[in-house]
Amino acid sequence: MNVLIAGGTGLVGSRLTEMLIKKGYTVHILTRKKLQNSISIKYFQWVIGKSIEEGAFENLSGIINLTGEGIADGRWTNSQKERIMNSRTQSADFLGTGLKDAKISVPVYISASGINYYANSKTKKYIEVDPAGNGFVQAVCVQWEKHAFDLQPVANRVVVLRTGLVLASQKSFLQKFTFSTKFMVGAVFGDGKQFISWIHIDDLCRYYIKSLEDTDITGAYNAGVCEDENQNSFLKTFKNVYNTNFIPFKIPKFVSKLIFGEMAILLNGGVAVSHQKMLETGFELNYPSLKTALEDLKNKT
């Protein structure tokens, strides 16, 4: 039971690795630097477009690709946009080429994607058959998924998880936000009515494992929860759970555009998704409400 993870040292990949090991898997992780192997983790060096260390594809139950330049790691200059796009599409292409060259077919290839596949909306809750929106971040998600589904000749199944805001206690948006509230302020962009679709990191990882093991799961799935939460209601729930008080600091759209440039569209927009298709696979969320998710993560900080 070997699983190959590209992007296995990041936020989601690290937690997913822990959970896979607990289930008895051996995890192959692709890294740019050679790291020390353990009983349950084997590291393989790769340089996208050039080489993958021998043995990475041996006896795989599946491949999970979590690679991707951070969408909000910097202003969207032309060069940054290119890095964001290429980091997602080229990794998928190179994994596909590696499998073809090795004449190997895997049971399943699972790729991350984003709920920003859909257009920003303050009224609609999207399901998987809804069309993609127009804009840079939507184009990234469309190409991300296209290059994943291009691996169908070397994968019996291809699954794409359109992921919302990942809530985690460490190295995440929530940790940064919790830190900012210590200074008695919480940022609200625009009017604060933008939808927030989120998912607890453990539920997300459990669904990756479900997708790995359930042969009926194929295609695209929304991996996000939205009980009509927006930025304003998120702050209210956070206040109640963390028993803290701070002043919502509203940042007008024109200010966020001056600071973040084109990337401000992520802050001033929002997407609500339905996760009904995910539930119809028999999956149950351990943290179905924002309150239960935040309460769990508060106890882990």
Side-chain angles (χ1 to χ4, degrees), residues 139-158:
V140 168
C141 291
V142 168
Q143 290 301 313
W144 200 355
E145 295 185 15
K146 177 188 178 300
H147 285 254
F149 287 113
D150 283 346
L151 268 73
Q152 287 177 326
V154 289
N156 296 340
R157 292 185 294 123
V158 174

Side-chain angles (χ1 to χ4, degrees), residues 155-218:
N156 296 340
R157 292 185 294 123
V158 174
V159 181
V160 168
L161 300 187
R162 294 173 182 162
T163 308
L165 178 67
V166 179
L167 300 182
S169 57
Q170 301 294 329
K171 299 179 182 178
S172 67
F173 153 82
L174 184 61
Q175 184 185 34
K176 294 175 182 178
F177 181 77
T178 303
F179 177 77
S180 73
T181 60
K182 293 180 180 180
F183 299 95
M184 305 304 292
V185 292
V188 176
F189 292 91
D191 61 10
K193 296 180 180 179
Q194 305 93 317
F195 279 125
I196 295 179
S197 294
W198 55 270
I199 189 165
H200 189 293
I201 189 170
D202 285 357
D203 278 338
L204 176 60
C205 292
R206 287 176 55 243
Y207 201 70
Y208 270 104
I209 296 171
K210 170 79 170 173
S211 302
L212 181 69
E213 297 176 341
D214 188 336
T215 56
D216 290 330
I217 294 176
T218 187

